[in-house]
Amino acid sequence: MNKERPAAPPAGLVASVPDSFDDVSFVPLPIGSLSADGSAVVGAGGHLFLLRGANDLVASYRRASTPEAQAALDSHASKWVELLTSRAERAESLGVEFSQVVVPEKSTHVPSGISELSGVTPLLDLIEHRLNHLPWYISALEALRSHSAPPALLWRKLDTHLSACGALALSEKIVERSNPDFVWPEQRFTRERALEGDLTQRFFGSILAEVVYEPDMEFLASLASDPVLTESVEPTGSGRFLGARRVWRNEAAPIAKCVVVFGNSFFGSNPITASRCNFWFSRVFKELHFVWSPEVDFGYAVSRGADLIVGQTNERFLTRVPVDVN
């Protein structure tokens, strides 16, 4: 086996950051191999992909097979369009900027080699077709597709989330929409670390880590000093994460705006890893509020002096249309 250090992020499974790639064992698994519970699958290029889970992801990729099913799909898409349009109108009436982003599934962007997970889900396809021309809608799929890096490098191999490079690509697109004159510094991802993969336990019975590449310290220093976490509220309901809230301030940030994000793990409640958008937002905006919620609470955003409200959800969560607050 060639043990030379690869130029691209490795495909190995590791328990911690190795001293050398001589210490990593690469285990070939056939494409299509299922996890014990059938919820995840081994795909091309050493990537693991979600297959089912609570939202039965694979079902979302199926095309409507009857006129009745197509009518139901069209109706559901219309409900999303109505909700997101009402958000934009509500924000405009309050004098606040608004952006909405729907993060695609890894299997929508990265070729998986799994026929059941090919293309864009019909629901997201309909929504994007109806909203892409609007200034407040940001197509995360287009942002990722237009990036110079190959799709596989914009996503974690053993995880459902973006890589650091992918999270920066998405953050750049959102920031660019409201701050077109902002110029990001040169990007370099050279710092290695081990991060746990959220799909590994389904296969191996324990959580394993993968080697990932994060931005080097000189690159981070060119953005701004580390943000300060000023508020942290844990969820009180039955949901594992829903209702969590974090607030960061960064007096040295290049953009003096208060941003309030209503989203999920693609932003994340802690900006420790660069594979979450909060990591980047908290370094370019003076004040960042993150609320882990599919609903937008305009009352909260206005009370905290929001200049920009961001709504974020995932492709697989489109099966449920939330009801906003205020």
Side-chain angles (χ1 to χ4, degrees):
M1 178 180 177
N2 184 0
K3 296 182 179 179
E4 293 183 1
R5 195 178 194 82
L13 305 176
V14 297
S16 60
V17 176
D19 294 329
S20 164
F21 278 87
D22 293 343
D23 301 327
V24 178
S25 177
F26 294 85
V27 181
L29 294 172
I31 294 174
S33 298
L34 294 174
S35 61
D37 63 359
S39 66
V41 63
V42 176
H47 277 269
L48 302 182
F49 292 88
L50 187 65
L51 186 66
R52 292 188 172 84
N55 297 282
D56 195 17
L57 176 60
V58 69
S60 298
Y61 282 91
R62 299 182 189 127
R63 300 289 164 179
S65 57
T66 66
E68 293 77 14
Q70 185 61 52
L73 184 67
D74 291 339
S75 175
H76 194 72
S78 294
K79 291 177 182 177
W80 268 105
V81 171
E82 290 169 6
L83 171 69
L84 302 185
T85 302
S86 69
R87 287 179 178 177
E89 293 173 347
R90 174 71 168 144
E92 184 178 18
S93 71
L94 295 169
V96 180
E97 294 180 79
F98 173 72
S99 289
Q100 176 68 46
V101 59
V102 180
V103 181
E105 296 305 310
K106 179 165 74 169
S107 46
T108 293
H109 183 223
V110 179
S112 65
I114 309 299
S115 60
E116 296 88 348
L117 297 177
S118 61
V120 183
T121 60
L123 182 54
L124 178 60
D125 198 33
L126 281 172
I127 293 170
E128 295 238 316
H129 179 72
R130 298 182 190 182
L131 295 179
N132 256 348
H133 66 287
L134 296 173
W136 48 264
Y137 184 79
I138 297 172
S139 174
L141 183 57
E142 285 188 5
L144 296 171
R145 282 176 170 173
S146 63
H147 198 278
S148 59
L153 294 185
L154 297 178
W155 294 83
R156 298 269 310 279
K157 281 186 176 291
L158 311 182
D159 199 278
T160 57
H161 294 89
L162 295 164
S163 66
C165 184
L168 175 57
L170 180 54
S171 299
E172 284 178 330
K173 183 61 65 174
I174 301 172
V175 172
E176 174 188 279
R177 186 64 59 89
S178 62
N179 301 272
D181 296 329
F182 178 68
V183 178
W184 291 79
E186 181 184 356
Q187 306 167 22
R188 291 188 300 274
F189 295 85
T190 58
R191 188 163 52 96
E192 295 177 356
R193 67 179 299 189
L195 288 180
E196 297 175 347
D198 64 8
L199 291 173
T200 58
Q201 191 167 18
R202 303 173 191 238
F203 286 90
F204 307 107
S206 60
I207 297 177
L208 301 178
E210 61 178 304
V211 175
V212 300
Y213 285 82
E214 299 221 326
D216 63 29
M217 301 309 293
E218 183 179 349
F219 173 43
L220 291 182
S222 66
L223 277 175
S225 59
D226 285 341
V228 176
L229 180 66
T230 60
E231 295 181 37
S232 181
V233 177
E234 298 302 325
T236 57
S238 58
R240 185 178 175 190
F241 302 107
L242 289 177
R245 178 163 54 86
R246 304 287 187 270
V247 179
W248 294 276
R249 285 192 62 86
N250 191 340
E251 298 299 335
I255 302 176
K257 284 185 177 181
C258 173
V259 179
V260 179
V261 176
F262 297 93
N264 56 40
S265 58
F266 276 83
F267 272 83
S269 57
N270 198 327
I272 288 178
T273 169
S275 63
R276 299 296 193 269
C277 292
N278 276 345
F279 180 96
W280 302 103
F281 270 48
S282 63
R283 283 166 169 76
V284 299
F285 290 113
K286 185 175 182 178
E287 186 171 334
L288 170 64
H289 295 246
F290 169 70
V291 182
W292 196 308
S293 172
E295 295 88 19
V296 169
D297 185 341
F298 284 97
Y300 173 83
V302 171
S303 71
R304 305 309 292 260
D307 298 298
L308 168 66
I309 297 173
V310 177
Q312 176 263 316
T313 189
N314 302 359
E315 187 174 8
R316 68 178 179 272
F317 295 155
L318 293 174
T319 53
R320 172 187 171 269
V321 182
V323 178
D324 287 343
V325 181
N326 296 325

